[in-house]
């Protein structure tokens, strides 16, 4: 592979948000070290949230404008290599091995391998899309024109965002849920039910059931449900969650437990190998060990890992947040937001619309959703920290702790 040298000071496996941020972190400490960024996707790093948000909703947003490769391409000390698969990492020899049989040596290695979509018994294709990458966006965009019909499988984070984006582009959507309501594993029942109704009111056909199979046929797709019915559409988007890409780490003997296990410096069980982003199981300073699949964490942990690889001794003490826009609603959230925790809902005028949802466990606020409430993430973090030291004895006293109008 002519554009890869035999060895580098830093090798980053993966070419997404965490990888691009890691180069920034390295360069803040080391202006000249040689860096290789090796990604299996054909596309250069892109700011992933735009794939289900701005590219559908803003006329002036482009895939090229969302690229994160500019600084990497401009840095003569960085080799960005796409469409290249790392098949093995060998911490003992300090090398990674590529699919073409060649090897690349490293001083420090970062695993920024991210996550891959969970799959159903439905093979991907031009019109059956497990939505994750820039190429997936391009495939869907080519089919999802105004008046077309798209089946969306899954009502979680990606499913709800894509349904929202498609509806706002004049696409007819059939949304297949295996639970009763959109996002019910995250939101309280009243909010999940309200969202589901909002989708239906915008013309979305909501179908309950599990997918048994499906295939492309006659220029479209046919999705078969377990009850024997089928959905025919121009395309299908499958968004049922992701799994961390830990195979390389496991095969190399690194500690893996729901992600690649790292310490407070994002270092794995091997002192010269680090992990960041979706794939990393890290000790959150406020919440304990967790794994986070959102872009704020990919950016912050990637940059931090780069700094530590290049000599910094700072601990990663950041608790990331995430956000989404669904139809006319928007929210920001921080921490653990699972609806099986104890919930306290604080809604304006007592009706779902604008408000704050607190997620508790053993008296500690573990997470906060700020629904149509803005500029309050820092207050939410402070509350998580405070209640971690001094648990809440009366959960209802949380109402009003984060004010909103």
């Amino acid at each position: 592979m002519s554009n890869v040298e035999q060895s580098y000071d830093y090798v980053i496996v993966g070419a997404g948000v965490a990888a691009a941020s890691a180069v920034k972190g390295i360069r803040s400490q080391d202006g000249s070290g040689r860096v290789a960024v090796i990604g299996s996707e054909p596309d250069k790093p892109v700011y992933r949230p735009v794939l289900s948000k701005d590219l559908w909703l803003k006329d002036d947003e482009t895939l090229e404008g969302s690229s994160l490769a500019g600084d990497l391409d401009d840095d003569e000390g960085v080799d960005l290599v796409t469409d290249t698969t790392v098949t093995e990492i060998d911490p003992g020899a300090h090398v990674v091995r590529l699919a073409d049989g060649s090897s690349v040596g490293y001083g420090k290695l970062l695993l920024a391998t991210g996550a891959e979509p969970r799959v159903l018994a439905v093979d991907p294709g031009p019109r059956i899309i497990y939505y994750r990458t820039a190429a997936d966006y391009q495939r869907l965009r080519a089919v999802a024109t105004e008046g077309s019909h798209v089946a969306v499988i899954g009502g979680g984070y990606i499913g709800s965002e894509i349904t929202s984006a498609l509806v706002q582009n004049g696409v007819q959507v059939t949304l297949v849920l295996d639970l009763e309501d959109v996002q019910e594993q995250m939101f309280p029942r009243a909010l999940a039910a309200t969202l589901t109704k909002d989708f239906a009111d915008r013309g979305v056909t909501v179908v309950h059931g599990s997918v048994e199979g499906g295939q492309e046929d006659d220029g479209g797709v046919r999705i078969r449900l377990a009850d024997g019915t089928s959905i025919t559409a121009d395309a299908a988007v499958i968004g049922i969650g992701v799994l961390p890409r830990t195979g390389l780490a496991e095969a190399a003997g690194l500690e893996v437990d729901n992600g690649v296990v790292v310490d407070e410096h994002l270092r794995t069980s091997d002192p010269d190998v680090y992990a960041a982003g979706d794939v990393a199981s890290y000790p959150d300073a406020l919440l304990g060990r967790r794994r986070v699949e959102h872009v704020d964490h990919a950016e912050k942990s990637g940059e931090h890992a780069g700094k530590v690889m290049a000599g910094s001794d700072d601990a990663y003490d950041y608790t990331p947040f995430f956000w989404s826009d669904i139809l006319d609603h928007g929210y920001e959230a921080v921490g653990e937001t699972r609806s099986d925790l104890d919930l306290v809902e604080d809604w304006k005028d007592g009706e779902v619309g604008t408000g704050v949802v607190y997620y508790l466990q053993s008296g500690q606020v573990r997470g906060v959703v700020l629904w149509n409430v803005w500029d309050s993430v820092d207050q939410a973090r402070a509350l998580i920290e405070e209640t971690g030291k001094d648990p809440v004895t009366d959960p209802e006293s949380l109402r009003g702790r984060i004010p909103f109008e």
Side-chain angles (χ1 to χ4, degrees), residues 288-367:
R289 185 162 295 279
R290 60 197 295 246
R291 192 175 62 79
V292 174
E293 296 168 357
H294 294 289
V295 71
D296 183 47
H297 172 61
E299 289 179 309
K300 298 296 197 303
S301 66
E303 184 173 359
H304 194 93
K307 289 180 178 179
V308 175
M309 290 164 70
S312 169
D313 193 39
D314 292 342
Y316 182 64
D317 59 1
Y318 180 74
T319 298
F321 81 108
F322 62 99
W323 74 95
S324 183
D325 297 301
I326 304 174
L327 298 177
D328 300 324
H329 306 289
Y331 70 86
E332 294 178 335
V334 63
E336 296 176 359
T337 53
R338 302 194 323 268
S339 58
D340 60 356
L341 296 173
D342 299 324
L343 307 185
V344 175
E345 301 173 58
D346 185 12
W347 297 109
K348 182 179 180 180
D349 301 327
E351 296 183 4
V352 174
T354 297
V356 179
V357 182
Y358 303 90
Y359 296 73
L360 292 95
Q361 188 172 47
S362 303
Q364 182 188 10
V365 174
R366 300 288 297 178

Side-chain angles (χ1 to χ4, degrees), residues 13 18-19 21-22 110-114 260 262 266-268 274-282 292 297-306 309 316:
V13 181
S21 299
L110 175 64
L111 297 177
T113 47
V260 179
V262 297
L266 303 177
R267 187 180 288 114
T268 71
Y274 299 73
D278 292 4
V279 78
S281 167
Y282 74 100
V292 174
H297 172 61
E299 289 179 309
K300 298 296 197 303
S301 66
E303 184 173 359
H304 194 93
M309 290 164 70
Y316 182 64

Side-chain angles (χ1 to χ4, degrees), residues 108-328:
K108 303 285 186 182
L109 176 69
L110 175 64
L111 297 177
T113 47
E116 59 193 11
R118 294 177 183 270
V119 297
L120 297 171
V122 184
D123 291 333
R127 291 173 178 266
I128 296 177
I129 301 161
Y130 288 89
Y131 202 80
R132 182 75 179 163
T133 67
D136 295 334
Y137 163 75
Q138 291 171 311
R139 275 195 291 274
L140 182 59
R141 194 82 206 210
V143 180
T145 53
E146 186 170 357
S148 64
H149 178 205
V150 174
V152 176
I153 317 301
Y157 189 81
I158 284 295
S160 59
E161 280 200 347
I162 282 294
T163 298
S164 171
L166 291 173
V167 165
Q168 293 179 76
N169 280 268
V171 176
Q172 176 63 44
V173 178
T174 298
L175 177 60
V176 181
L177 304 178
D178 59 356
L179 300 174
E180 187 65 26
D181 290 307
V182 172
Q183 292 267 59
E184 80 173 61
Q185 290 174 309
M186 174 176 168
F187 295 140
R189 287 311 302 263
L191 176 53
T194 297
L195 269 184
T196 306
K197 182 179 184 301
D198 285 350
F199 275 133
D201 288 346
R202 295 288 285 267
V204 174
T205 302
V206 179
V207 174
H208 294 92
S210 57
V211 173
E212 195 171 70
Q215 67 278 324
E216 299 185 12
D217 66 352
D218 295 331
V221 300
R222 181 182 299 275
I223 301 297
R224 301 191 309 278
L225 303 184
D227 65 3
T229 61
S230 293
I231 298 166
T232 57
D234 296 304
V237 176
I238 302 175
I240 55 169
V242 296
L243 296 167
R245 285 197 177 104
T246 56
L248 287 172
E250 287 184 70
L254 301 176
E255 185 180 355
V256 172
D257 183 8
N258 181 33
V260 179
V261 176
V262 297
D263 64 14
E264 69 275 15
H265 294 96
L266 303 177
R267 187 180 288 114
T268 71
S269 52
D270 182 279
D272 290 330
V273 182
Y274 299 73
D278 292 4
V279 78
S281 167
Y282 74 100
D284 190 291
L286 301 184
L287 294 165
R289 185 162 295 279
R290 60 197 295 246
R291 192 175 62 79
V292 174
E293 296 168 357
H294 294 289
V295 71
D296 183 47
H297 172 61
E299 289 179 309
K300 298 296 197 303
S301 66
E303 184 173 359
H304 194 93
K307 289 180 178 179
V308 175
M309 290 164 70
S312 169
D313 193 39
D314 292 342
Y316 182 64
D317 59 1
Y318 180 74
T319 298
F321 81 108
F322 62 99
W323 74 95
S324 183
D325 297 301
I326 304 174
L327 298 177
D328 300 324

